[in-house]
Amino acid sequence: MKTMKSKLTMRTAALIFAAAAATGLSGCSDIGFGEQVLLRPPRATGDKAAIQTAIEGQAGGSYTLKYPQKGQYRSAITMFDIAGGEYALAFYSTDSDSKLNVSVIAGKDEQWDCIGSFSNKGTGVDRVIFKDVNNDGKEDIIVGWNNYATGRNTLSIYSVENNAVREMTVDETYNEMMLADITGDKSEDLVIITLSTAQSGSSLLVMQYSDQEKRPIGKYAVELDPEVKEFTGVFYDKIDSGVNGIILDGEKAGSMRTTQVVYFDKADNELKNPLLTVSENDTYSNPTTRKDVISARDFDSDGIVEVPVITPLSASPKDKAGAVCSLTSWKQLRTNDGSLQTKMNTVINYNDGYYFIMPDAWTGNVTALSDPAKREVSYYVWNSKTGSVGDKILSIERFGASDIEQAKKDGYVPLGLELSDGTDAVIAAKLFKTNTSDELNLDQSELEKCIKAL
């Protein structure tokens, strides 16, 4: 693939025919233009009327505007520039049939003319992306179309060339898609992500532009977990030093969550999904499988995404199972061998809006028990030889604003956290001393570094 740097600066705006969308009316007069995702204002007089006239002429009658459901561009009409030219992208359906239509309208000297119009059998517009697909240095128009009957979306790509529009066909359907340079060749790859069906498994396919076929074709593929029934988050980011990848958070049966990380191994010239393991009897396992509704992220703000691995803390048989807290370890994928390196261990209190960073000396030596009725989490020395809890070394509690003064008298110190739930509740903590090991004892300044608001 050629390496070309786009010279475009997208000045994208949304010109919304708000009245038509709100009322479902067809292309009548007195349609207002809004400013959704407005990065440059439309030129004052004439533009909106001229664009409306161009759409009416292409529709051949009355029409209804259609709006993308996902992505950055949510307008039925989006203004964009390509190589210095001004264009409008319009989605609509006509009253004469149920087909969706997309028109590219070119503007020059306040004159707007349709230079390309295409129909699609989809049931809605999924999303719009502006990226250079054919490596000519100009951004192309990628449109995803919903198909509610099949559950898989279809793709169309449009390239503006010599004041005309060429459509590139894409054979693959998708549940999720993106444009990203996952192969690291400085060109945009079309990434197609699909969930499993009765006929096929889940997969991630990288498509690259073929100069011979004049369209993107499949180049690399990797298997994904077929037990994932829905993707809850898909994004492209740095996953290791010098390596970017695609992070896929998903939901499985029983409300279980999992994270997969796909990257391109240049040495082996293939895509890899190292967190997914398949046994000989086709059982799929992943160390990130969890019940907690939590997603992969750059948790320690070092510029690299970590994945969560959750394990229950130690407990004795007499401890109530529901009271034993879990340890959420934030781990970085090491692409040289597929291993996970722990970056930070945390105990997350979702109900009360904070998390506690476990000191290194506490790992394996301290456990935590919760008391939901008191809104309290207490930390105890864990005796691995006897399998029992020992001295209490910390209690963290959520107090109402009216109770905090009494809590202070009882030895609790407010931690000054700004909780995201908008209440005036106060998180306060009380430290205790243990003689088991002095390195387990914390002072107030160390404690305050360990507790953060969610």
Side-chain angles (χ1 to χ4, degrees):
M1 297 175 67
K2 295 181 291 184
T3 301
M4 301 190 71
K5 184 177 181 181
S6 175
K7 298 179 180 179
L8 303 180
T9 300
M10 178 66 67
R11 298 181 300 138
T12 309
L15 292 178
I16 311 170
F17 288 11
T23 63
L25 297 177
S26 299
C28 50
S29 60
D30 194 27
I31 295 179
F33 280 57
E35 293 185 358
Q36 188 180 32
V37 197
L38 188 60
L39 300 186
R40 76 159 171 82
R43 293 180 305 182
T45 61
D47 277 1
K48 59 183 180 181
I51 293 171
Q52 180 181 344
T53 299
I55 298 173
E56 289 173 345
Q58 196 63 35
S62 58
Y63 61 90
T64 302
L65 291 167
K66 299 295 181 179
Y67 290 75
Q69 300 302 303
K70 295 180 180 179
Q72 180 181 358
Y73 307 101
R74 301 293 185 93
S75 300
I77 299 175
T78 299
M79 304 295 294
F80 64 99
D81 296 346
I82 291 180
E86 281 191 299
Y87 301 89
L89 183 71
F91 295 102
Y92 59 93
S93 64
T94 64
D95 290 354
S96 59
D97 59 45
S98 59
K99 290 182 180 179
L100 294 176
N101 300 278
V102 57
S103 290
V104 179
I105 304 165
K108 186 176 181 181
D109 299 328
E110 297 191 7
Q111 176 67 37
W112 291 85
D113 298 302
C114 181
I115 60 172
S117 189
F118 305 87
S119 295
N120 191 278
K121 295 181 180 179
T123 51
V125 184
D126 179 51
R127 69 191 74 180
V128 178
I129 300 173
F130 295 92
K131 290 281 189 177
D132 181 9
V133 174
N134 60 3
N135 309 310
D136 65 352
K138 299 183 300 182
E139 289 183 334
D140 301 300
I141 308 160
I142 301 96
V143 178
W145 306 94
N146 294 126
N147 191 323
Y148 301 128
T150 65
R152 290 273 187 91
N153 302 322
T154 59
L155 267 173
S156 299
I157 303 176
Y158 306 100
S159 180
V160 179
E161 303 171 357
N162 300 321
N163 205 39
V165 182
R166 179 175 72 89
E167 183 178 24
M168 306 179 208
T169 58
V170 179
D171 296 331
E172 304 294 332
T173 58
Y174 73 92
N175 294 102
E176 290 290 339
M177 59 82 63
M178 68 171 60
L179 274 292
D181 180 18
I182 189 171
T183 56
D185 63 357
K186 309 302 181 183
S187 297
E188 297 290 345
D189 301 311
L190 176 59
V191 180
I192 302 295
I193 304 166
T194 55
L195 293 168
S196 62
T197 65
Q199 293 75 33
S200 62
S202 294
S203 67
L204 184 148
L205 173 68
V206 170
M207 305 184 75
Q208 296 182 332
Y209 186 77
S210 167
D211 289 326
Q212 182 178 359
E213 297 198 21
K214 303 298 182 185
R215 66 190 182 109
I217 61 172
K219 186 70 174 179
Y220 305 99
V222 68
E223 181 181 11
L224 299 179
D225 189 344
E227 297 175 356
V228 171
K229 62 181 182 178
E230 179 184 4
F231 295 114
T232 56
V234 177
F235 62 100
Y236 176 72
D237 211 329
K238 190 174 183 179
I239 60 169
D240 198 0
S241 178
V243 181
N244 283 18
I246 297 174
I247 300 92
L248 305 103
D249 287 311
E251 183 175 345
K252 305 172 72 169
S255 297
M256 298 299 289
R257 304 278 175 142
T258 189
T259 299
Q260 300 173 83
V261 179
V262 174
Y263 70 97
F264 184 74
D265 189 315
K266 291 184 178 181
D268 294 337
N269 194 40
E270 65 180 12
L271 294 172
K272 293 187 176 180
N273 183 11
L275 297 183
L276 181 66
T277 301
V278 186
S279 66
E280 293 182 357
N281 61 352
D282 292 333
T283 299
Y284 293 81
S285 61
N286 186 322
T288 69
T289 301
R290 56 196 181 272
K291 289 184 178 180
D292 296 50
V293 183
I294 192 169
S295 58
R297 66 194 70 182
D298 180 9
F299 198 81
D300 60 359
S301 302
D302 67 346
I304 297 176
V305 172
E306 289 85 31
V307 299
V309 176
I310 300 176
T311 54
L313 287 166
S314 301
S316 64
K318 66 180 181 180
D319 295 321
K320 295 181 180 179
V324 180
C325 298
S326 293
L327 185 72
T328 301
S329 297
W330 294 94
K331 297 177 179 284
Q332 178 186 330
L333 176 66
R334 292 301 190 188
T335 55
N336 61 334
D337 60 6
S339 65
L340 291 172
Q341 178 190 21
T342 300
K343 301 292 291 298
M344 183 183 296
N345 288 316
T346 60
V347 175
I348 303 177
N349 189 329
Y350 299 98
N351 291 333
D352 295 333
Y354 70 90
Y355 65 91
F356 176 74
I357 302 172
M358 288 278 275
D360 291 341
W362 284 27
T363 304
N365 299 312
V366 173
T367 191
L369 303 176
S370 68
D371 186 341
K374 290 182 63 177
R375 311 294 288 268
E376 181 181 43
V377 176
S378 296
Y379 292 80
Y380 299 86
V381 174
W382 174 250
N383 190 324
S384 58
K385 293 182 179 180
T386 62
S388 60
V389 297
D391 296 336
K392 180 188 287 190
I393 50 179
L394 171 66
S395 283
I396 307 172
E397 190 168 342
R398 175 173 168 140
F399 295 93
S402 60
D403 301 321
I404 191 60
E405 292 305 320
Q406 180 59 48
K408 290 179 181 178
K409 295 178 182 178
D410 294 335
Y412 284 85
V413 178
L415 298 171
L417 299 184
E418 293 185 8
L419 302 181
S420 60
D421 59 9
T423 66
D424 57 1
V426 178
I427 304 298
K430 183 177 182 180
L431 286 166
F432 302 84
K433 293 288 185 179
T434 178
N435 294 319
T436 301
S437 173
D438 187 59
E439 67 177 356
L440 299 182
N441 292 316
L442 297 180
D443 60 33
Q444 190 65 31
S445 63
E446 291 173 322
L447 172 62
E448 291 177 357
K449 295 177 182 178
C450 291
I451 301 180
K452 309 289 182 181
L454 286 174

